Amino acid sequence: MENSLTKKHFISWPVIAFLDFVTIIGFDDILYPLQNQGLSVVFTWVFMVFAFVIPYEMSVSQLGATFTGQEDGGLSSWVRHSTNDTLGYWTAWMYWAASLPYIVDVANSVIVSFSWLVLGDNSLGQRMSNFTFGLLTFVIILIFILLQNFFKRSMEVMATIGGGAMFLMTVLFVIMTGYSLAHGGQIATHPFNLSSFIPHFSLQYFSTTGLLMFAVCGAELVAPYLIKMRNPNRDFPKAMWLVAFMTAFLTVFGTFSLAIFFNANHLPHDLKMNGSYYAFQLLGQRLGMGNVLLYIFTVVQAIYMMAQLAVLLDAASWVIAGDTAASFMPHWLSKRNKNGRPLHSYVLTSGLCLFLLLMSGTLPNINAIFNWLLNLNGIVFPFKNCWIFVAFIAVRWQSERFHSSFVFIKNKAAAIAVGTWCFIFSFVCALMSFIPQDVKFGTAAYDHQLLMNLFSVFVLFGVGLVMPLLARLENRQQISEEN
């Protein structure tokens, strides 16, 4: 009865695109690659758009059109039906676990956005302890879990408003930057010539590419909502093309614009946490508007981050409460409350988010906490992406078995080759991202963060080994009770 009522409310493809967009990339996502790679990141962005983003978005489109309306599990359903139950389970677990650092990072960003609204500056690190910062982050996650149980359509409304407003703010930033230059504005980055955009290939360069992949991924997150579209086979690819266009615009032109206001060779140490606020503050001051643009952006950023948090918590928890094989997951984990929400999945999500917060609490300050959680996404997200291409390769390999209204690359061999390239690229980026980003090699801080990276990934993915054991114990107990 719940499913039939839910299907009466259809979600349009632009709303799906914005739901996806708020989980994929925002203004912040062009800042930390700029800090890691300088102006050469423009070359990397262009490469990523054509060599990864478009194949990735279109692969997701074909998978979504192939398995439309079957289950709530999204990516795990795709892998399960195209391969086997075991791989389907590991996809569900790794997909869910990979979302947790991002959930914590987004909750951190909500606090930062409200601190700029209240304080109007970057003094949060001086005013708040690590413990208070972690506690508030955890409280925000719990609040959003509770809100989703009472306001069923709040996620769609917030995502549409937040995603649309963030894209408009980015367009506004690019246009007003051009206006500033046309009226005598100076370029902060020197030299600003062709040689500045040529990458210097090194271990540091390759170790930061995983963060760029993290910045442009998340399209499959809306897969559970395909059954809520009126005509997903036709409209879902439209949503993916729109997301790909917005992503390309934001990354390339946004980076050019940031280089106007920031010296890409000497960036603030807290650029990842506060850079977007600095950018709109500098733009407003250059245009003679004071802090007006800063506060407008801060409001948009707060809505955008809260929309991200709502989508992430909802979609990630549905993944492990979906159609994952019962032999791998305890039944209690997929139980739903009277509102149809996977309550126990939310509890598990909260527990492992708390683990990450306790881990990050060992770092020296809030800026280090923010950066480490952000960098952790560069490890787990590329690992998760590998499963998308496992499913895509399996579907194309068995093309006589799986039929879709949308086909990405009609030639079977070429499609498998593209899927294999994306799989290898994702896996290598994940391995390289274990290297700590914001600390110097050979220091105690470097060793500390390397151990944190290894241990966090081991726990997030390793807990997945425990679930099949719990499922077996549960099944044995039920059998004994029946006998």
Side-chain angles (χ1 to χ4, degrees):
M1 187 67 180
E2 177 68 24
N3 288 337
S4 62
L5 291 173
T6 303
K7 288 183 181 179
K8 289 184 178 180
H9 169 64
F10 293 108
I11 304 178
S12 65
W13 68 266
V15 172
I16 287 289
F18 283 123
L19 277 170
D20 221 4
F21 182 68
V22 298
T23 64
I24 292 176
I25 193 164
F27 194 78
D28 287 338
D29 291 319
I30 59 177
L31 284 161
Y32 50 82
L34 179 66
Q35 186 173 43
N36 290 335
Q37 298 186 9
L39 277 182
S40 67
V41 77
V42 173
F43 169 87
T44 315
W45 279 129
V46 173
F47 170 80
M48 288 286 291
V49 167
F50 289 100
F52 182 79
V53 175
I54 292 177
Y56 158 74
E57 299 278 0
M58 294 305 103
S59 298
V60 170
S61 294
Q62 179 166 349
L63 290 169
T66 302
F67 298 106
T68 299
Q70 290 192 7
E71 294 96 2
D72 293 332
L75 178 58
S76 62
S77 299
W78 302 345
V79 174
R80 180 186 176 194
H81 289 290
S82 61
T83 57
N84 56 54
D85 287 354
T86 301
L87 294 184
Y89 164 72
W90 278 108
T91 301
W93 185 265
M94 291 180 68
Y95 182 95
W96 172 77
S99 301
L100 300 185
Y102 193 27
I103 287 172
V104 178
D105 184 50
V106 171
N108 283 345
S109 297
V110 171
I111 298 173
V112 173
S113 64
F114 277 102
S115 76
W116 274 88
L117 271 177
V118 175
L119 304 173
D121 56 33
N122 63 347
S123 61
L124 176 67
Q126 290 76 47
R127 296 171 180 265
M128 186 177 290
S129 67
N130 288 7
F131 175 79
T132 304
F133 187 65
L135 181 62
L136 282 177
T137 300
F138 189 64
V139 168
I140 286 173
I141 291 172
L142 293 180
I143 288 173
F144 269 76
I145 288 175
L146 293 173
L147 285 177
Q148 287 184 14
N149 279 278
F150 293 104
F151 304 103
K152 292 184 178 181
R153 293 191 60 188
S154 61
M155 177 183 62
E156 296 172 33
V157 174
M158 287 180 63
T160 304
I161 294 173
M166 178 57 70
F167 185 67
L168 289 175
M169 287 299 292
T170 305
V171 173
L172 178 67
F173 185 84
V174 173
I175 292 173
M176 296 185 79
T177 299
Y179 176 85
S180 172
L181 284 176
H183 290 76
Q186 300 296 312
I187 298 175
T189 300
H190 294 286
F192 194 79
N193 52 33
L194 182 61
S195 62
S196 302
F197 295 90
I198 299 175
H200 299 284
F201 298 110
S202 63
L203 185 63
Q204 171 68 16
Y205 176 86
F206 289 111
S207 68
T208 58
T209 306
L211 270 179
L212 274 78
M213 183 176 290
F214 154 68
V216 296
C217 287
E220 71 287 346
L221 200 66
V222 295
Y225 308 115
L226 282 169
I227 59 174
K228 298 181 181 180
M229 298 181 75
R230 188 180 298 274
N231 193 335
N233 290 346
R234 181 193 66 197
D235 292 341
F236 189 62
K238 292 181 184 178
M240 293 299 97
W241 275 114
L242 178 58
V243 170
F245 167 76
M246 291 191 293
T247 300
F249 179 90
L250 180 63
T251 54
V252 176
F253 290 99
T255 301
F256 275 117
S257 300
L258 286 172
I260 304 300
F261 294 98
F262 296 100
N263 183 348
N265 302 311
H266 300 284
L267 293 165
H269 75 284
D270 61 343
L271 187 75
K272 293 179 180 179
M273 185 168 76
N274 294 310
S276 55
Y277 305 97
Y278 294 154
F280 278 91
Q281 187 175 46
L282 289 169
L283 177 62
Q285 291 172 356
R286 184 173 291 191
L287 295 174
M289 300 175 65
N291 286 333
V292 173
L293 287 179
L294 167 65
Y295 283 108
I296 293 174
F297 171 77
T298 304
V299 172
V300 171
Q301 178 82 331
I303 297 171
Y304 178 79
M305 288 299 172
M306 288 188 288
Q308 273 194 317
L309 192 57
V311 174
L312 285 165
L313 283 169
D314 187 68
S317 294
W318 280 115
V319 168
I320 56 173
D323 76 324
T324 306
S327 59
F328 295 97
M329 199 76 77
H331 294 295
W332 58 265
L333 197 59
S334 60
K335 285 184 179 179
R336 304 182 185 187
N337 63 9
K338 62 182 180 180
N339 293 323
R341 298 288 179 174
L343 185 61
H344 292 147
S345 294
Y346 286 134
V347 173
L348 188 59
T349 298
S350 302
L352 281 177
C353 284
L354 181 60
F355 158 74
L356 290 175
L357 286 168
L358 293 174
M359 286 283 293
S360 66
T362 63
L363 294 168
N365 53 58
I366 288 177
N367 187 54
I369 291 172
F370 192 95
N371 289 349
W372 176 73
L373 283 165
L374 184 62
N375 294 337
L376 187 60
N377 290 294
I379 304 172
V380 294
F381 261 73
F383 274 132
K384 177 266 297 179
N385 288 342
C386 291
W387 291 110
I388 296 170
F389 303 109
V390 167
F392 179 74
I393 293 168
V395 166
R396 296 312 302 270
W397 192 275
Q398 306 170 81
S399 56
E400 69 286 346
R401 178 185 168 197
F402 298 104
H403 303 281
S404 174
S405 59
F406 174 80
V407 178
F408 172 53
I409 307 179
K410 292 186 178 180
N411 183 276
K412 179 178 178 179
I416 292 173
V418 170
T420 303
W421 149 254
C422 290
F423 174 87
I424 294 172
F425 184 53
S426 299
F427 189 76
V428 171
C429 283
L431 292 180
M432 295 294 292
S433 296
F434 276 100
I435 300 172
Q437 306 296 322
D438 301 295
V439 288
K440 292 183 179 180
F441 175 77
T443 62
Y446 181 96
D447 295 338
H448 182 199
Q449 290 199 22
L450 180 59
L451 287 173
M452 287 176 66
N453 289 343
L454 293 169
F455 184 64
S456 297
V457 174
F458 172 77
V459 170
L460 289 175
F461 292 158
V463 171
L465 293 169
V466 178
M467 291 300 163
L469 299 176
L470 295 177
R472 290 174 191 170
L473 289 174
E474 186 180 66
N475 290 335
R476 287 176 185 174
Q477 184 177 0
Q478 288 179 352
I479 292 171
S480 62
E481 289 176 356
E482 290 174 358
N483 294 333

